[in-house]
Amino acid sequence: MTVKEPALREIILDILLEVLEKGKYSHVILSQALTKYQYLEKQDRSFIKRVVDGTVEYRIQLDYILNSYSKVKVNKMKPVIRTILRMSAYQICHMDRVPDSAACNEAVKLAEKRGFSGLKGFVNGVLRSISRGKDNLVFPDDSIRCSMPEWLASMWKSTYGEETFRRMMESFLKDRPLMARLCLNRAEKQQILDSLGAQGVTAKDSRYADDVICLEGVDYLEGLEAFREGWLQIQDLSSSLAGDAAGIKDGDYVIDVCGAPGGKGLHAADILGGTGMVEIRDISEAKVSLIEENIGRSGLTNLRAAVCDALSFDPDSEEAADVVIADLPCSGLGIIGRKPDIKYNMTPEKLHDLACLQREILSVVQRYVKPGGTLVYSTCTVNREENEDNMRWFLEHFPFEPVNLKGRLGEKLSEPSMESGYIQFLPGIHPCDGFFIAVMKKCG
């Protein structure tokens, strides 16, 4: 039975209060809520997700709109009223299927239900003014138009130019497809596709990898047979290509140093085809527990998980690994399209601190690579200080040389930088998240 819309909007309000007022991660709180309300019909759950994601994503733009039509500025409003107005303004400005009158009326009811009867007129007046004026809105700059912090917009324009910046921003604001890597050692591709189709999920091939597909119509991941049976792992195309770039060979010993939730390590074990060994490490028992859960579902036996701080040197691993995968903590700017609150929590100072942390970790884990072995450095960000600059610094300080990636990532993918050992994926330019991969061989 479909839940009445006011009840849905109460759920949305509670989620957004946790995210926008208490600073909780939107993807975590939303996932918890959708699990809690699993009994809701698919269209209701989709509505909740759309309004939550959109309100967080467009917060800068929505605040500009609200400030343009309200005498009380957003930062002076009561948190509940501020959140009701944001989520309702999003519906009015960005959801054609929701009548403006419905968005206004339900906002008024919600304000009253939350104990703000005295502000019903204010809520109604602001939202109806927005409804009347939305077609004439003019945004003063790209920061507000794209709902991106000004310093980030400026950085990307300077780095990539106006056209690439525009395409990146458009990509961030579009719905992101859920991608999955097929575990073809567990099941045939057609068997997996048939299973997904039987459960109402549409699968489309990705552009660069035959074993990565785009999924549409996934309502509850854990309900999919293909997921439960370990026939697929949720992993973006860009992330899966890190395993392909590594050049892993039968019998290799692979260490994944910051590996939770385990996607790249699992991919490495798949590539090994039951040979060799992959050790996936991370800093806490909680993260290792998540890795072990994914290992258990995969059915693979040539890998293990271990608690290990990547900043602390492990003497038993010195020059032991054929391949070290270092997918390190980063700013996450490449996945803003999936986790929009990243852009509000990041600062230039944090970017620099993360780049320094990455250098510290690289200084430690490079010692685990055998002479002639391979180090894969990757991040899910679009920031030269963390990516190209750190690669350049690393090659200047340690006995490694870049590996030509031509041919390692398939015939369809070709970028000039690949000959120099790295590739930067950009949202809107490539059909995937923003992601950086560098591959370097230890001399000797």
Side-chain angles (χ1 to χ4, degrees), residues 220-270:
Y220 182 56
L221 182 64
E222 287 75 8
L224 296 180
E225 176 192 33
F227 180 77
R228 293 195 309 270
E229 295 297 324
W231 298 345
L232 58 78
Q233 296 287 340
I234 299 304
Q235 189 174 23
D236 189 73
L237 169 64
S238 56
S239 176
S240 76
L241 290 172
D244 296 328
I248 296 168
K249 305 179 298 297
D250 285 358
D252 276 354
Y253 174 44
V254 180
I255 300 176
D256 185 356
V257 295
C258 296
K264 294 175 187 64
L266 288 162
H267 189 193
D270 259 343

Short mmCIF file of all heavy atoms in Angstrom, two decimals, residues 220-270:
data_model
loop_
_atom_site.label_atom_id
_atom_site.label_comp_id
_atom_site.label_asym_id
_atom_site.label_seq_id
_atom_site.Cartn_x
_atom_site.Cartn_y
_atom_site.Cartn_z
N TYR A 220 16.34 -2.62 -3.91
CA TYR A 220 16.90 -3.15 -2.67
C TYR A 220 17.99 -4.13 -3.05
O TYR A 220 17.73 -5.26 -3.48
CB TYR A 220 15.80 -3.83 -1.85
CG TYR A 220 16.26 -4.37 -0.51
CD1 TYR A 220 16.88 -3.54 0.42
CD2 TYR A 220 16.07 -5.71 -0.19
CE1 TYR A 220 17.30 -4.04 1.65
CE2 TYR A 220 16.48 -6.22 1.04
CZ TYR A 220 17.10 -5.38 1.95
OH TYR A 220 17.51 -5.87 3.16
N LEU A 221 19.25 -3.69 -2.93
CA LEU A 221 20.38 -4.46 -3.42
C LEU A 221 20.43 -5.86 -2.81
O LEU A 221 20.65 -6.85 -3.51
CB LEU A 221 21.68 -3.70 -3.11
CG LEU A 221 22.97 -4.34 -3.60
CD1 LEU A 221 22.99 -4.43 -5.11
CD2 LEU A 221 24.18 -3.55 -3.08
N GLU A 222 20.22 -5.94 -1.49
CA GLU A 222 20.33 -7.23 -0.81
C GLU A 222 19.26 -8.21 -1.27
O GLU A 222 19.35 -9.41 -1.00
CB GLU A 222 20.25 -7.03 0.70
CG GLU A 222 21.51 -6.41 1.33
CD GLU A 222 21.63 -4.92 1.06
OE1 GLU A 222 20.67 -4.32 0.51
OE2 GLU A 222 22.69 -4.34 1.38
N GLY A 223 18.23 -7.71 -1.95
CA GLY A 223 17.18 -8.59 -2.44
C GLY A 223 17.52 -9.25 -3.76
O GLY A 223 16.80 -10.15 -4.22
N LEU A 224 18.62 -8.85 -4.39
CA LEU A 224 18.99 -9.41 -5.68
C LEU A 224 19.73 -10.74 -5.51
O LEU A 224 20.71 -10.83 -4.77
CB LEU A 224 19.89 -8.44 -6.45
CG LEU A 224 19.28 -7.10 -6.86
CD1 LEU A 224 20.31 -6.27 -7.62
CD2 LEU A 224 18.03 -7.31 -7.71
N GLU A 225 19.28 -11.75 -6.21
CA GLU A 225 19.94 -13.05 -6.18
C GLU A 225 21.41 -12.92 -6.58
O GLU A 225 22.30 -13.51 -5.96
CB GLU A 225 19.23 -14.01 -7.13
CG GLU A 225 19.90 -15.38 -7.24
CD GLU A 225 19.36 -16.22 -8.38
OE1 GLU A 225 18.98 -15.63 -9.42
OE2 GLU A 225 19.32 -17.46 -8.24
N ALA A 226 21.67 -12.14 -7.63
CA ALA A 226 23.04 -12.01 -8.14
C ALA A 226 23.98 -11.41 -7.09
O ALA A 226 25.16 -11.76 -7.03
CB ALA A 226 23.05 -11.15 -9.40
N PHE A 227 23.46 -10.52 -6.26
CA PHE A 227 24.28 -9.93 -5.20
C PHE A 227 24.48 -10.93 -4.06
O PHE A 227 25.61 -11.13 -3.59
CB PHE A 227 23.62 -8.66 -4.68
CG PHE A 227 24.40 -7.98 -3.58
CD1 PHE A 227 25.52 -7.23 -3.87
CD2 PHE A 227 24.01 -8.11 -2.25
CE1 PHE A 227 26.26 -6.61 -2.86
CE2 PHE A 227 24.73 -7.50 -1.23
CZ PHE A 227 25.85 -6.75 -1.54
N ARG A 228 23.41 -11.57 -3.63
CA ARG A 228 23.50 -12.52 -2.51
C ARG A 228 24.43 -13.68 -2.84
O ARG A 228 25.16 -14.17 -1.98
CB ARG A 228 22.12 -13.06 -2.15
CG ARG A 228 21.16 -12.04 -1.57
CD ARG A 228 19.97 -12.74 -0.91
NE ARG A 228 19.35 -13.72 -1.78
CZ ARG A 228 18.36 -13.46 -2.63
NH1 ARG A 228 17.89 -12.22 -2.73
NH2 ARG A 228 17.84 -14.42 -3.37
N GLU A 229 24.41 -14.12 -4.10
CA GLU A 229 25.21 -15.28 -4.50
C GLU A 229 26.66 -14.92 -4.83
O GLU A 229 27.45 -15.80 -5.15
CB GLU A 229 24.56 -15.96 -5.71
CG GLU A 229 23.19 -16.57 -5.43
CD GLU A 229 23.27 -17.68 -4.41
OE1 GLU A 229 24.26 -18.43 -4.40
OE2 GLU A 229 22.32 -17.81 -3.60
N GLY A 230 26.98 -13.63 -4.76
CA GLY A 230 28.35 -13.22 -5.05
C GLY A 230 28.69 -13.21 -6.52
O GLY A 230 29.86 -13.29 -6.90
N TRP A 231 27.66 -13.09 -7.36
CA TRP A 231 27.91 -13.05 -8.81
C TRP A 231 28.32 -11.66 -9.27
O TRP A 231 28.81 -11.51 -10.39
CB TRP A 231 26.65 -13.48 -9.57
CG TRP A 231 26.21 -14.88 -9.29
CD1 TRP A 231 26.93 -15.87 -8.67
CD2 TRP A 231 24.93 -15.44 -9.60
NE1 TRP A 231 26.18 -17.01 -8.57
CE2 TRP A 231 24.95 -16.78 -9.14
CE3 TRP A 231 23.78 -14.96 -10.22
CZ2 TRP A 231 23.85 -17.64 -9.29
CZ3 TRP A 231 22.69 -15.81 -10.38
CH2 TRP A 231 22.72 -17.14 -9.91
N LEU A 232 28.09 -10.68 -8.44
CA LEU A 232 28.52 -9.32 -8.79
C LEU A 232 28.92 -8.57 -7.53
O LEU A 232 28.49 -8.90 -6.43
CB LEU A 232 27.42 -8.57 -9.55
CG LEU A 232 26.03 -8.38 -8.93
CD1 LEU A 232 26.01 -7.26 -7.90
CD2 LEU A 232 25.01 -8.07 -10.02
N GLN A 233 29.78 -7.58 -7.71
CA GLN A 233 30.20 -6.69 -6.65
C GLN A 233 29.91 -5.26 -7.09
O GLN A 233 30.20 -4.90 -8.23
CB GLN A 233 31.70 -6.83 -6.36
CG GLN A 233 32.13 -8.18 -5.85
CD GLN A 233 31.72 -8.43 -4.41
OE1 GLN A 233 31.45 -7.50 -3.67
NE2 GLN A 233 31.69 -9.70 -4.02
N ILE A 234 29.33 -4.47 -6.21
CA ILE A 234 29.07 -3.08 -6.56
C ILE A 234 30.41 -2.34 -6.63
O ILE A 234 31.14 -2.26 -5.64
CB ILE A 234 28.13 -2.42 -5.54
CG1 ILE A 234 26.79 -3.16 -5.52
CG2 ILE A 234 27.93 -0.95 -5.87
CD1 ILE A 234 26.09 -3.25 -6.86
N GLN A 235 30.71 -1.84 -7.80
CA GLN A 235 31.99 -1.16 -8.02
C GLN A 235 31.88 -0.31 -9.28
O GLN A 235 31.42 -0.79 -10.32
CB GLN A 235 33.12 -2.18 -8.17
CG GLN A 235 34.52 -1.57 -8.20
CD GLN A 235 35.60 -2.65 -8.20
OE1 GLN A 235 35.37 -3.79 -8.60
NE2 GLN A 235 36.79 -2.30 -7.75
N ASP A 236 32.29 0.94 -9.19
CA ASP A 236 32.23 1.81 -10.35
C ASP A 236 33.24 1.36 -11.40
O ASP A 236 34.27 0.75 -11.08
CB ASP A 236 32.52 3.26 -9.94
CG ASP A 236 32.25 4.24 -11.07
OD1 ASP A 236 31.07 4.48 -11.37
OD2 ASP A 236 33.22 4.75 -11.67
N LEU A 237 32.93 1.67 -12.65
CA LEU A 237 33.82 1.33 -13.76
C LEU A 237 35.24 1.81 -13.51
O LEU A 237 36.21 1.07 -13.69
CB LEU A 237 33.26 1.93 -15.06
CG LEU A 237 34.18 1.91 -16.28
CD1 LEU A 237 34.47 0.47 -16.70
CD2 LEU A 237 33.56 2.69 -17.43
N SER A 238 35.37 3.06 -13.09
CA SER A 238 36.71 3.64 -12.90
C SER A 238 37.50 2.88 -11.85
O SER A 238 38.69 2.61 -12.02
CB SER A 238 36.59 5.11 -12.51
OG SER A 238 35.79 5.27 -11.35
N SER A 239 36.84 2.51 -10.77
CA SER A 239 37.50 1.77 -9.70
C SER A 239 37.91 0.38 -10.16
O SER A 239 39.00 -0.11 -9.83
CB SER A 239 36.57 1.67 -8.50
OG SER A 239 37.13 0.89 -7.47
N SER A 240 37.06 -0.27 -10.95
CA SER A 240 37.38 -1.62 -11.41
C SER A 240 38.59 -1.62 -12.34
O SER A 240 39.34 -2.60 -12.40
CB SER A 240 36.18 -2.24 -12.12
OG SER A 240 36.01 -1.71 -13.41
N LEU A 241 38.79 -0.53 -13.06
CA LEU A 241 39.92 -0.46 -13.99
C LEU A 241 41.27 -0.41 -13.27
O LEU A 241 42.30 -0.70 -13.88
CB LEU A 241 39.76 0.75 -14.91
CG LEU A 241 38.62 0.63 -15.94
CD1 LEU A 241 38.43 1.95 -16.68
CD2 LEU A 241 38.88 -0.50 -16.93
N ALA A 242 41.26 -0.06 -11.98
CA ALA A 242 42.51 -0.07 -11.22
C ALA A 242 43.09 -1.48 -11.16
O ALA A 242 44.31 -1.67 -11.23
CB ALA A 242 42.28 0.48 -9.82
N GLY A 243 42.21 -2.47 -11.02
CA GLY A 243 42.68 -3.85 -11.00
C GLY A 243 43.25 -4.28 -12.34
O GLY A 243 44.28 -4.96 -12.41
N ASP A 244 42.60 -3.86 -13.42
CA ASP A 244 43.10 -4.19 -14.76
C ASP A 244 44.45 -3.52 -15.00
O ASP A 244 45.34 -4.11 -15.63
CB ASP A 244 42.10 -3.73 -15.82
CG ASP A 244 40.77 -4.46 -15.72
OD1 ASP A 244 40.77 -5.64 -15.33
OD2 ASP A 244 39.74 -3.84 -16.03
N ALA A 245 44.60 -2.29 -14.51
CA ALA A 245 45.84 -1.54 -14.74
C ALA A 245 47.04 -2.16 -14.02
O ALA A 245 48.19 -1.95 -14.42
CB ALA A 245 45.66 -0.09 -14.29
N ALA A 246 46.78 -2.93 -12.96
CA ALA A 246 47.86 -3.45 -12.13
C ALA A 246 48.72 -4.50 -12.82
O ALA A 246 49.86 -4.74 -12.41
CB ALA A 246 47.28 -4.04 -10.84
N GLY A 247 48.19 -5.13 -13.87
CA GLY A 247 48.97 -6.17 -14.56
C GLY A 247 49.21 -7.40 -13.70
O GLY A 247 50.29 -8.01 -13.75
N ILE A 248 48.23 -7.79 -12.92
CA ILE A 248 48.36 -8.93 -12.01
C ILE A 248 48.49 -10.23 -12.81
O ILE A 248 47.77 -10.46 -13.77
CB ILE A 248 47.13 -9.00 -11.07
CG1 ILE A 248 47.11 -7.75 -10.18
CG2 ILE A 248 47.14 -10.27 -10.23
CD1 ILE A 248 45.81 -7.56 -9.42
N LYS A 249 49.42 -11.10 -12.37
CA LYS A 249 49.69 -12.37 -13.05
C LYS A 249 49.39 -13.54 -12.12
O LYS A 249 49.42 -13.39 -10.89
CB LYS A 249 51.15 -12.43 -13.50
CG LYS A 249 51.59 -11.27 -14.38
CD LYS A 249 53.05 -11.39 -14.78
CE LYS A 249 54.00 -11.34 -13.59
NZ LYS A 249 53.95 -10.06 -12.85
N ASP A 250 49.13 -14.70 -12.70
CA ASP A 250 48.87 -15.91 -11.91
C ASP A 250 49.97 -16.11 -10.87
O ASP A 250 51.16 -15.99 -11.18
CB ASP A 250 48.81 -17.14 -12.81
CG ASP A 250 47.51 -17.22 -13.60
OD1 ASP A 250 46.65 -16.34 -13.41
OD2 ASP A 250 47.37 -18.16 -14.42
N GLY A 251 49.55 -16.41 -9.65
CA GLY A 251 50.50 -16.70 -8.59
C GLY A 251 50.99 -15.50 -7.82
O GLY A 251 51.73 -15.65 -6.84
N ASP A 252 50.62 -14.30 -8.22
CA ASP A 252 51.10 -13.09 -7.54
C ASP A 252 50.58 -12.99 -6.10
O ASP A 252 49.48 -13.46 -5.77
CB ASP A 252 50.64 -11.83 -8.29
CG ASP A 252 51.56 -11.47 -9.45
OD1 ASP A 252 52.61 -12.12 -9.60
OD2 ASP A 252 51.22 -10.54 -10.21
N TYR A 253 51.40 -12.35 -5.27
CA TYR A 253 50.98 -11.97 -3.92
C TYR A 253 50.65 -10.49 -3.97
O TYR A 253 51.50 -9.66 -4.31
CB TYR A 253 52.09 -12.26 -2.91
CG TYR A 253 51.79 -11.76 -1.50
CD1 TYR A 253 50.54 -11.94 -0.92
CD2 TYR A 253 52.78 -11.12 -0.76
CE1 TYR A 253 50.28 -11.49 0.37
CE2 TYR A 253 52.54 -10.68 0.54
CZ TYR A 253 51.28 -10.86 1.09
OH TYR A 253 51.03 -10.40 2.37
N VAL A 254 49.41 -10.16 -3.63
CA VAL A 254 48.91 -8.79 -3.73
C VAL A 254 48.53 -8.28 -2.33
O VAL A 254 47.82 -8.97 -1.59
CB VAL A 254 47.67 -8.71 -4.66
CG1 VAL A 254 47.16 -7.27 -4.75
CG2 VAL A 254 48.00 -9.26 -6.04
N ILE A 255 48.99 -7.09 -1.99
CA ILE A 255 48.57 -6.44 -0.74
C ILE A 255 47.76 -5.19 -1.11
O ILE A 255 48.24 -4.33 -1.85
CB ILE A 255 49.78 -6.03 0.13
CG1 ILE A 255 50.61 -7.25 0.51
CG2 ILE A 255 49.30 -5.31 1.39
CD1 ILE A 255 51.88 -6.90 1.30
N ASP A 256 46.56 -5.13 -0.58
CA ASP A 256 45.68 -3.96 -0.75
C ASP A 256 45.67 -3.24 0.59
O ASP A 256 45.07 -3.72 1.56
CB ASP A 256 44.28 -4.43 -1.15
CG ASP A 256 43.33 -3.30 -1.48
OD1 ASP A 256 43.73 -2.13 -1.33
OD2 ASP A 256 42.19 -3.58 -1.88
N VAL A 257 46.35 -2.09 0.68
CA VAL A 257 46.69 -1.54 2.00
C VAL A 257 45.58 -0.75 2.69
O VAL A 257 45.57 -0.64 3.91
CB VAL A 257 47.96 -0.66 1.92
CG1 VAL A 257 49.15 -1.50 1.53
CG2 VAL A 257 47.77 0.52 0.98
N CYS A 258 44.67 -0.17 1.95
CA CYS A 258 43.54 0.56 2.55
C CYS A 258 42.28 0.05 1.86
O CYS A 258 41.62 0.78 1.12
CB CYS A 258 43.69 2.07 2.38
SG CYS A 258 45.12 2.78 3.23
N GLY A 259 41.97 -1.22 2.10
CA GLY A 259 41.12 -1.95 1.17
C GLY A 259 39.63 -1.97 1.38
O GLY A 259 38.90 -2.45 0.51
N ALA A 260 39.12 -1.52 2.54
CA ALA A 260 37.67 -1.61 2.77
C ALA A 260 36.91 -0.78 1.72
O ALA A 260 37.38 0.30 1.34
CB ALA A 260 37.33 -1.14 4.17
N PRO A 261 35.77 -1.30 1.24
CA PRO A 261 35.09 -2.54 1.62
C PRO A 261 35.58 -3.79 0.90
O PRO A 261 35.00 -4.86 1.05
CB PRO A 261 33.64 -2.24 1.23
CG PRO A 261 33.75 -1.34 0.05
CD PRO A 261 34.96 -0.47 0.31
N GLY A 262 36.63 -3.65 0.09
CA GLY A 262 37.25 -4.84 -0.49
C GLY A 262 37.13 -4.99 -1.99
O GLY A 262 37.59 -6.00 -2.54
N GLY A 263 36.55 -4.03 -2.68
CA GLY A 263 36.29 -4.18 -4.11
C GLY A 263 37.51 -4.46 -4.95
O GLY A 263 37.51 -5.37 -5.79
N LYS A 264 38.58 -3.70 -4.74
CA LYS A 264 39.78 -3.89 -5.57
C LYS A 264 40.50 -5.18 -5.23
O LYS A 264 41.03 -5.86 -6.11
CB LYS A 264 40.70 -2.68 -5.42
CG LYS A 264 40.10 -1.41 -5.98
CD LYS A 264 40.96 -0.20 -5.70
CE LYS A 264 40.23 1.06 -6.13
NZ LYS A 264 38.99 1.29 -5.33
N GLY A 265 40.53 -5.54 -3.95
CA GLY A 265 41.14 -6.80 -3.55
C GLY A 265 40.38 -7.99 -4.10
O GLY A 265 40.98 -8.98 -4.56
N LEU A 266 39.06 -7.92 -4.06
CA LEU A 266 38.24 -9.00 -4.62
C LEU A 266 38.46 -9.12 -6.12
O LEU A 266 38.53 -10.23 -6.67
CB LEU A 266 36.76 -8.72 -4.33
CG LEU A 266 36.32 -8.92 -2.88
CD1 LEU A 266 35.00 -8.22 -2.62
CD2 LEU A 266 36.20 -10.40 -2.55
N HIS A 267 38.59 -7.99 -6.79
CA HIS A 267 38.87 -8.00 -8.23
C HIS A 267 40.22 -8.65 -8.49
O HIS A 267 40.37 -9.47 -9.41
CB HIS A 267 38.84 -6.57 -8.77
CG HIS A 267 38.90 -6.50 -10.27
ND1 HIS A 267 39.15 -5.32 -10.94
CD2 HIS A 267 38.77 -7.46 -11.22
CE1 HIS A 267 39.15 -5.56 -12.24
NE2 HIS A 267 38.92 -6.84 -12.44
N ALA A 268 41.22 -8.31 -7.68
CA ALA A 268 42.55 -8.91 -7.84
C ALA A 268 42.48 -10.42 -7.68
O ALA A 268 43.10 -11.18 -8.44
CB ALA A 268 43.52 -8.30 -6.82
N ALA A 269 41.72 -10.89 -6.68
CA ALA A 269 41.59 -12.33 -6.46
C ALA A 269 40.89 -12.99 -7.64
O ALA A 269 41.22 -14.12 -8.03
CB ALA A 269 40.81 -12.58 -5.17
N ASP A 270 39.90 -12.31 -8.22
CA ASP A 270 39.23 -12.82 -9.41
C ASP A 270 40.21 -12.97 -10.57
O ASP A 270 40.22 -13.98 -11.29
CB ASP A 270 38.10 -11.87 -9.83
CG ASP A 270 36.73 -12.36 -9.39
OD1 ASP A 270 36.62 -13.56 -9.07
OD2 ASP A 270 35.79 -11.56 -9.36
#
